[in-house]
C-alpha cells in the first residue's frame, strides 16, 4: 500500500442526490448539471448550478501555490508545466481538456498525487489538470449508487460512507490516496479478503474523453450499458489503470447483486469492531534458517487459508521484512481481523501460532517504524477498536521522502531461491537503510471469487501480494537506493528473467504500483513484456478500448495502454 500524508484535516460529511441521466454524454458546450457540481436539490436547474459554481482555477509558475501543485507524494517527481488547472465540475474538466488539446499541449491528470513513477509529473507535461476540487462523496438516487468524485481520498470515502450509511469499500489503507487512480487500477485493502477488490463494486464511471476529431466530452459508462463500446469503457476502469482512456471525474459504486433503493444495503458493511495486533521478530536473533522458516510459514498459511469461503477471510496480515539496518532492526507483523466473528480470538491465536511455529525467535513489541506504519508497541497484545477508528489510525506516512517501488503477485509460497535472495539483500552490510523493506500482504479470499476476465484485473488466484519499497531524503543518494532495490528484485525473480512472470508461483505485477524498470531490458530479461505482467490476457481488450475512446492518444504516459 502506498505512502500517504497524515496531515489530513477532518472533512465535512457530504450528502445529496444528483440528477444524471445514465449513459448521457455531457458536451463541452453545456453548462454543469446538478451531478457535475456540488450535490444539491434535484430541483435545482443547470443554470442555477452553473451560476453558483466558480470558474476553474489556473495556477501559473509565478503563483505561490505552484510548487505544491507540480509534485506528488514521491519527491522524486517535480514537473514544470505551463500551468495547473484546478477543476470543481465535470463541465470545467471538459473545458480544461479541450483547451489543452486545441492548443496542442501535453496534459496529465492528478488525483491524489500518489503515482510512484513520473506519469503525472514529468519533463514533457505542459498542463496538469488537478482534481483536488472534486472530492464529494454522496448517494445518487438517480443511479441508485454512491457517487465518488475523482479527487476524493480514501479516508473521505470511508468517513462519508460509514458514518452516514454504515457501508464501506474494500479499498486501500492509505488515507490520502485519491479515488481517481486507486479505483481505476483495481484497488485493494484490509477488507479485500472479505469483500473483494474495490472495482468488484464499481457500477459506473464518468470520463472526459477526446474523440478522433479532437473534441472533448464527458461520457458515462456503467455495468449495465448495452452499447458495447460503453461497456468496454466501464470494464477498462475496473483495473486498467489511470491515465489511459480519459480524465475520470466520477465513479458510481454499488455491489453486484445489491437490490432495492436503501443506500445502507448497496455496499459492504465493515465489522463494527476489529482486532489490531502488531508484533515483531528481532533481526539480531534471526538466522537464515529461522528467516526461511518464517517465510515458509507465511506462504503455507496463506495457501491453506485463502479460499473465497475461508473462515479467515476477515483477517488481513502485513509481513514487513525490513532491511537489517541496525542491531535494533525488526521484522514486523501487523494484523487486522474482524473481532465480531465467532471464536475471533481463537482464530487470531491460531494464525499467530502457525506463522511463528518453528521459527525459534521470541516475538516482541513492534518498537520500530516499518514502511508506512509507525512503531506500535501498544498493540503487542491484540486490542479491539471500532472499525473506523482503526482505519484512521492505520494510515500513516511521510510526503517528504523520495522513493522507489516494485510489486508482485504470488499464487503460493516462495521458492527456496526466492527466500535466499530476500535474506541476502535484507541483510547486506554494504547497504543500510531502515526505510527499505518488502511488505508481503495477505491476499485471496473473495478477491479470487471473480473470473480473470470479468474485470480488467486478471490476477484472481493469488494468495499473497508483495510491495518492494525503499525511501531516502537526500536526492544525491538516489543511485545507491535504486541499485539496491533493483538488484534485490532481480535476484528474487532470477528464475524467471528478473521479473515475476506468471507461472506456478508468480503472477505478474500490480498496475497501481507502477515500475518503469519492467520495460527495461537491463532489468527484465524475460520474454514477457511489461503490459503482460500487469494485464496478462486482458491487454488486447484494453487496447481495443483505447482505440475507441482515446484514438489520438491524448491520455498517455510511459506505461499507458498502447493503441493497437
Amino acid at each position: 500500500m502506498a505512502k500517504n500524508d497524515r496531515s489530513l484535516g477532518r472533512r465535512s460529511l457530504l450528502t445529496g442526490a444528483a440528477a444524471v441521466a445514465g449513459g448521457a454524454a455531457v458536451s463541452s458546450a453545456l453548462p454543469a448539471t446538478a451531478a457535475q457540481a456540488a450535490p444539491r436539490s434535484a430541483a435545482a436547474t443547470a443554470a442555477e448550478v452553473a451560476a453558483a459554481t466558480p470558474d476553474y482555477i489556473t495556477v501559473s509558475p509565478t503563483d505561490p501555490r505552484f510548487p505544491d501543485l507540480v509534485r506528488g507524494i514521491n519527491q522524486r517527481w517535480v514537473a514544470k508545466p505551463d500551468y495547473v488547472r484546478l477543476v470543481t465540475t465535470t463541465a470545467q474538466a471538459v473545458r480544461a481538456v479541450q483547451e489543452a488539446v486545441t492548443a496542442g499541449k501535453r496534459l496529465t491528470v492528478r488525483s491524489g498525487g500518489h503515482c510512484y513513477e513520473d506519469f503525472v509529473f514529468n519533463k514533457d507535461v505542459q498542463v496538469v489538470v488537478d482534481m483536488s476540487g472534486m472530492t464529494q462523496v454522496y448517494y445518487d438516487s438517480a443511479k441508485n449508487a454512491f457517487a465518488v468524485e475523482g479527487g476524493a481520498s480514501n479516508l473521505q470515502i470511508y468517513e462519508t460512507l460509514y458514518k452516514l450509511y454504515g457501508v464501506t469499500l474494500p479499498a486501500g489503507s492509505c488515507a490520502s490516496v485519491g479515488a481517481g487512480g486507486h479505483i481505476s487500477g483495481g484497488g485493494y485493502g484490509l477488507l479485500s479478503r472479505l469483500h473483494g477488490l474495490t472495482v468488484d463494486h464499481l457500477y459506473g464511471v464518468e470520463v472526459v474523453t477526446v474523440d478522433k476529431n479532437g473534441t472533448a466530452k464527458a461520457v458515462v459508462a456503467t455495468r449495465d450499458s448495452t452499447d458495447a463500446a460503453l461497456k468496454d469503457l466501464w470494464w477498462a476502469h475496473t483495473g486498467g489503470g489511470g491515465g489511459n482512456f480519459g480524465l475520470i471525474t466520477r465513479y458510481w459504486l454499488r455491489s453486484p447483486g445489491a437490490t432495492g433503493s436503501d443506500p445502507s444495503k448497496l455496499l459492504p458493511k465493515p465489522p463494527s469492531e476489529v482486532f489490531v495486533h502488531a508484533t515483531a521478530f528481532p533481526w539480531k536473533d534471526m538466522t537464515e534458517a529461522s528467516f526461511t522458516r518464517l517465510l515458509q510459514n507465511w506462504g503455507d498459511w496463506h495457501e491453506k487459508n485463502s479460499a473465497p469461503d475461508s473462515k479467515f477471510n476477515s483477517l488481513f496480515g502485513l509481513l514487513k521484512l525490513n532491511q537489517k539496518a541496525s542491531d535494533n532492526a525488526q521484522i514486523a507483523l501487523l494484523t487486522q481481523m474482524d473481532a465480531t466473528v465467532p471464536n475471533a480470538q481463537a482464530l487470531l491465536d491460531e494464525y499467530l501460532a502457525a506463522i511463528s511455529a518453528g521459527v525459534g525467535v521470541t516475538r516482541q513489541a513492534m518498537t520500530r517504524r516499518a514502511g508506512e506504519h509507525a512503531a506500535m508497541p501498544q498493540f503487542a497484545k491484540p486490542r479491539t477498536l471500532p472499525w473506523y477508528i482503526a482505519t484512521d489510525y492505520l494510515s500513516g506516512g511521510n510526503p517528504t521522502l523520495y522513493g522507489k517501488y516494485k510489486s508482485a503477485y504470488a499464487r503460493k509460497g516462495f521458492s527456496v531461491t526466492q527466500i535466499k535472495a530476500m535474506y541476502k539483500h535484507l541483510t547486506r552490510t554494504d547497504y543500510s537503510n531502515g526505510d527499505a523493506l518488502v511488505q508481503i500482504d495477505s491476499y485471496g479470499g473473495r478477491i479470487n471469487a471473480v473470473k480473470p476476465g470479468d474485470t480488467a484485473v486478471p490476477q484472481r488466484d493469488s494468495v499473497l501480494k508483495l510491495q518492494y519499497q525503499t525511501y531516502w531524503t537526500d536526492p544525491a543518494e538516489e543511485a545507491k537506493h535504486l541499485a539496491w532495490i533493483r538488484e534485490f528484485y532481480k535476484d528474487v525473480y532470477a528464475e524467471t528473467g528478473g521479473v515475476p512472470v506468471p507461472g506456478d508461483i508468480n503472477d505478474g505485477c500490480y498496475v497501481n504500483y507502477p515500475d518503469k524498470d519492467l520495460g527495461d531490458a537491463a532489468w527484465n530479461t524475460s520474454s514477457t513484456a511489461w503490459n503482460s505482467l500487469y494485464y496478462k490476457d486482458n491487454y488486447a481488450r484494453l487496447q481495443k478500448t483505447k482505440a475507441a475512446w482515446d484514438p489520438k492518444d491524448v491520455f498517455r504516459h510511459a506505461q499507458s495502454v498502447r493503441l493497437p
Side-chain angles (χ1 to χ4, degrees), residues 20-25 143 202-207 209 218-238 250-252 545 549:
V20 181
K143 286 282 192 295
L202 180 64
Y203 173 72
V205 63
E206 181 181 70
V207 193
T209 62
V219 179
V220 174
T222 73
R223 193 163 57 212
D224 297 334
S225 294
T226 56
D227 178 86
L230 282 173
K231 189 65 172 286
D232 281 347
L233 184 62
W234 164 80
W235 178 87
H237 287 85
T238 64
R250 193 181 328 270
Y251 295 102
W252 286 274
T545 306
W549 293 103

Side-chain angles (χ1 to χ4, degrees), residues 259-342:
T259 59
S261 57
D262 181 350
S264 69
K265 297 180 180 179
L266 299 181
L267 285 174
K269 292 184 179 296
S272 60
E273 293 185 317
V274 294
F275 281 123
V276 176
H277 180 49
T279 189
F281 299 86
W283 259 117
K284 64 181 178 60
D285 298 334
M286 275 278 176
T287 64
E288 185 168 0
S290 57
F291 178 87
T292 299
R293 181 61 183 267
L294 175 62
L295 268 290
Q296 289 174 336
N297 288 349
W298 189 247
D300 290 345
W301 188 90
H302 284 85
E303 286 182 39
K304 295 172 182 175
N305 296 288
S306 297
D309 59 351
S310 170
K311 64 182 179 181
F312 287 100
N313 276 359
S314 73
L315 186 154
F316 193 100
L318 302 88
L319 182 63
K320 295 168 171 281
L321 306 179
N322 302 296
Q323 212 261 340
K324 186 180 179 181
S326 70
D327 290 340
N328 296 321
Q330 297 177 318
I331 291 174
L333 175 59
L334 176 61
T335 307
Q336 177 182 290
M337 180 181 177
D338 184 349
T340 69
V341 298

Side-chain angles (χ1 to χ4, degrees), residues 262-478:
D262 181 350
S264 69
K265 297 180 180 179
L266 299 181
L267 285 174
K269 292 184 179 296
S272 60
E273 293 185 317
V274 294
F275 281 123
V276 176
H277 180 49
T279 189
F281 299 86
W283 259 117
K284 64 181 178 60
D285 298 334
M286 275 278 176
T287 64
E288 185 168 0
S290 57
F291 178 87
T292 299
R293 181 61 183 267
L294 175 62
L295 268 290
Q296 289 174 336
N297 288 349
W298 189 247
D300 290 345
W301 188 90
H302 284 85
E303 286 182 39
K304 295 172 182 175
N305 296 288
S306 297
D309 59 351
S310 170
K311 64 182 179 181
F312 287 100
N313 276 359
S314 73
L315 186 154
F316 193 100
L318 302 88
L319 182 63
K320 295 168 171 281
L321 306 179
N322 302 296
Q323 212 261 340
K324 186 180 179 181
S326 70
D327 290 340
N328 296 321
Q330 297 177 318
I331 291 174
L333 175 59
L334 176 61
T335 307
Q336 177 182 290
M337 180 181 177
D338 184 349
T340 69
V341 298
N343 303 311
Q345 183 67 64
L347 290 174
L348 181 60
D349 291 343
E350 180 184 337
Y351 151 84
L352 293 170
I355 303 305
S356 302
V359 175
V361 175
T362 301
R363 289 187 285 111
Q364 59 183 215
M366 179 183 160
T367 58
R368 309 284 292 181
R369 169 172 288 279
E372 66 190 13
H373 292 106
M376 298 169 60
Q378 69 273 38
F379 291 96
K381 291 183 179 180
R383 286 181 56 188
T384 302
L385 291 176
W387 172 78
Y388 180 77
I389 290 176
T391 298
D392 192 357
Y393 175 77
L394 291 174
S395 295
N398 184 340
T400 70
L401 299 175
Y402 300 77
K404 174 64 180 174
Y405 314 80
K406 294 176 177 290
S407 72
Y409 292 90
R411 286 172 157 154
K412 58 172 60 176
F414 310 108
S415 71
V416 172
T417 300
Q418 289 178 325
I419 294 174
K420 287 184 71 68
M422 289 183 186
Y423 184 80
K424 170 188 171 183
H425 288 280
L426 291 169
T427 59
R428 279 172 53 176
T429 57
D430 63 333
Y431 179 80
S432 179
N433 181 4
D435 290 322
L437 71 155
V438 56
Q439 177 175 298
I440 310 175
D441 292 346
S442 297
Y443 210 65
R446 296 302 301 173
I447 297 168
N448 293 349
V450 177
K451 296 179 181 178
D454 287 353
T455 67
V457 179
Q459 293 89 357
R460 293 291 186 166
D461 63 359
S462 294
V463 299
L464 295 169
K465 198 165 189 173
L466 293 85
Q467 184 184 26
Y468 298 77
Q469 311 166 46
T470 186
Y471 305 99
W472 61 97
T473 57
D474 183 354
E477 296 182 347
E478 177 171 298

Side-chain angles (χ1 to χ4, degrees), residues 143-222:
K143 286 282 192 295
N144 193 32
F146 290 98
V148 174
E149 291 186 332
S153 70
N154 279 339
L155 197 62
Q156 288 173 298
I157 295 169
Y158 298 148
E159 185 173 22
T160 301
L161 292 182
Y162 187 56
K163 291 185 178 180
L164 294 187
Y165 303 101
V167 299
T168 192
L169 280 176
S173 64
C174 301
S176 62
V177 167
H182 183 64
I183 295 176
S184 61
Y188 81 105
L190 303 185
L191 294 180
S192 285
R193 281 168 54 89
L194 186 61
H195 295 302
L197 298 180
T198 313
V199 291
D200 295 341
H201 304 271
L202 180 64
Y203 173 72
V205 63
E206 181 181 70
V207 193
V208 178
T209 62
V210 178
D211 66 19
K212 63 182 179 181
N213 298 316
T215 301
K217 63 180 179 180
V219 179
V220 174
T222 73

Side-chain angles (χ1 to χ4, degrees), residues 38-56:
R40 48 189 88 208
S41 169
T45 67
E48 289 172 334
V49 174
T53 304
D55 197 2
Y56 57 50

